[in-house]
Amino acid sequence: MKLQERDNSPINKILVIMPTYNERENLEGIVPKIISQDSRINMLIVDDNSPDGTGLIADKFAKENSRIKVIHRKGKLGLGSAYVLGFRYSLENRFDLTFTMDADFSHPVDKLPEMISTVEQGYDLVIGSRWVEGGGTVNWPRNRERLSQTASKYTRIVTGLPVKDTTAGFQAFRKRVLENIEIDGMKSDGYSFQIETKFKVWRNGFRLKEIPIIFKDRVIGVSKLSKRIIFEAFFIVWWLRISSIFSKV
Ligand SMILES: Nc1nc2c(ncn2[C@@H]2O[C@H](COP(=O)(O)OP(=O)(O)OP(=O)(O)O)[C@@H](O)[C@H]2O)c(=O)[nH]1
Ligand SMILES: [Mg+2]
C-alpha cells in the first residue's frame, strides 16, 4: 500500500450532506448554525419522507437560501444510501470537500472550521473522533460508550485500520477520495458504512486524521439505531479483511 502524494489543492466549495428522518426541530436549529460557520459551505439535506414534516422545513430553507438543496426520497431507505446519493451529488457538482453530518446536534457544529483547516493542511479524510485524546461523549449511557469503543477496537484488530473511532459519522472527505473509493459499490448501512468508508480511504493510501470532538447524545427526537445495524457491523469487518486479501478493496 503506497501513501498518496499530499493534495494541497485549494478548498473553494464545501458540501455538508445531512440525511434526515424525523428531525424537524433539530433541522430548524442546526441549518443556520452550519451555514454561518464558513461562506464556502453549502448543504444537501436528504430527507426520506419523514412523517413529522422535516422535508417541509428543508424545503423552506432551500427556498430562502440558494446554498441549501434538498433531495426527497419516497421512504426510509437508510443512512448509507443517503450518503451515497450525497457523494454522487457532490462529485457531479464539483465540491472540493464533503462532510457527512447528523442532524441531531451530536456532531459539534463549531468544529467545522477546524476540520476544514485540517484538510487544508494536506489531509484527505478528517474524522471527528470521540476516542482520541480530548474527545469524548456527553450524556451517553455507559453501555453505548462501551459498545462504541469495543466496536472500534474489534475493527482495528480485524482489519488493521489505524483509526481510534471507526464508527465516527462526522467526517470530511476531499474530492479525490470520493473519486477513488467506488462509492456506488457501497452497500452497507449505519455503522458498517462508517467503517467501510474509512477502510477504503486508508487502503487507497489517502491521508487520514482524527481530531477530537465531544459527541452529545441527542436531546430531541428518537434514535434510529437498530440491532441489525450492530449485527451487520460485526460481519462487515471480516468481509473487508477478506476482500482486501484478494485486493478487491
Ligand atoms: N435520510 C435518512 N436519514 C436517516 C435515516 N436513518 C437515520 N437518518 C439520519 O441520520 C442521522 C443519524 O441517525 P441517528 O438516529 O441519530 O443515529 P445514531 O446517531 O446512530 O443514534 P442516536 O444518536 O442515538 O439517535 C440523523 O440525522 C438521522 O435523522 C434514514 O433511513 N434516511
Ligand atoms: Mg444520532
Side-chain angles (χ1 to χ4, degrees):
M1 198 174 61
K2 209 173 124 259
L3 196 62
Q4 305 264 355
E5 291 289 314
R6 212 171 266 280
D7 184 348
N8 287 314
S9 54
I11 304 295
N12 297 318
K13 275 176 77 182
I14 301 170
L15 182 69
V16 174
I17 304 170
M18 180 160 284
T20 55
Y21 193 76
N22 287 346
E23 302 284 5
R24 197 181 56 204
E25 279 176 75
N26 285 324
L27 192 69
E28 192 98 61
I30 204 165
V31 171
K33 289 211 167 75
I34 291 171
I35 286 293
S36 65
Q37 293 296 316
D38 191 304
S39 62
R40 293 168 294 179
I41 291 181
N42 295 264
M43 285 188 75
L44 176 68
I45 299 161
V46 183
D47 185 68
D48 281 358
N49 201 10
S50 299
D52 76 346
T54 302
L56 296 172
I57 307 287
D59 283 338
K60 186 197 75 178
F61 279 125
K63 217 170 142 195
E64 287 166 0
N65 190 334
S66 61
R67 286 161 63 195
I68 302 164
K69 300 278 184 276
V70 191
I71 294 178
H72 297 278
R73 301 196 297 179
K74 288 212 168 63
K76 194 173 184 316
L77 294 170
L79 199 53
S81 66
Y83 284 142
V84 169
L85 188 64
F87 288 158
R88 228 182 280 134
Y89 173 93
S90 172
L91 288 173
E92 277 160 18
N93 293 281
R94 306 192 167 279
F95 283 96
D96 303 304
L97 181 62
T98 304
F99 280 86
T100 55
M101 198 169 179
D102 291 356
D104 61 0
F105 284 99
S106 296
H107 299 158
V109 176
D110 57 8
K111 276 278 174 174
L112 281 163
E114 190 185 335
M115 290 173 79
I116 295 167
S117 62
T118 307
V119 169
E120 288 173 327
Q121 285 158 28
Y123 287 99
D124 297 299
L125 172 61
V126 174
I127 302 164
S129 177
R130 291 161 287 198
W131 310 127
V132 291
E133 211 185 317
T137 65
V138 170
N139 293 339
W140 237 26
R142 188 72 193 103
N143 61 343
R144 271 202 79 175
E145 264 194 349
R146 221 174 282 137
L147 174 71
S148 171
Q149 286 165 337
T150 308
S152 280
K153 202 177 249 175
Y154 170 74
T155 309
R156 270 201 310 280
I157 291 168
V158 176
T159 66
L161 175 67
V163 167
K164 290 270 192 295
D165 190 348
T166 60
T167 60
F170 191 20
Q171 307 190 84
F173 300 85
R174 225 182 232 279
K175 183 167 71 192
R176 69 171 184 173
V177 170
L178 299 185
E179 286 166 342
N180 278 288
I181 59 168
E182 289 172 20
I183 48 178
D184 288 319
M186 311 217 29
K187 297 263 182 314
S188 56
D189 207 356
Y191 283 180
S192 306
F193 186 88
Q194 313 299 3
I195 295 169
E196 192 179 354
T197 46
K198 292 174 191 62
F199 183 78
K200 285 188 169 172
V201 173
W202 171 60
R203 289 287 301 182
N204 278 284
F206 291 114
R207 290 158 195 270
L208 285 72
K209 176 82 178 169
E210 285 181 275
I211 69 164
I213 63 156
I214 302 293
F215 177 102
K216 290 197 190 73
D217 195 15
R218 64 162 69 246
V219 179
I220 303 170
V222 291
S223 174
K224 286 112 212 163
L225 180 73
S226 69
K227 287 224 170 65
R228 183 186 64 76
I229 281 171
I230 299 171
F231 197 65
E232 189 187 36
F234 188 82
F235 289 106
I236 198 91
V237 292
W238 285 102
W239 180 81
L240 290 172
R241 180 179 174 161
I242 291 162
S243 47
S244 71
I245 292 169
F246 296 103
S247 272
K248 280 199 184 134
V249 179

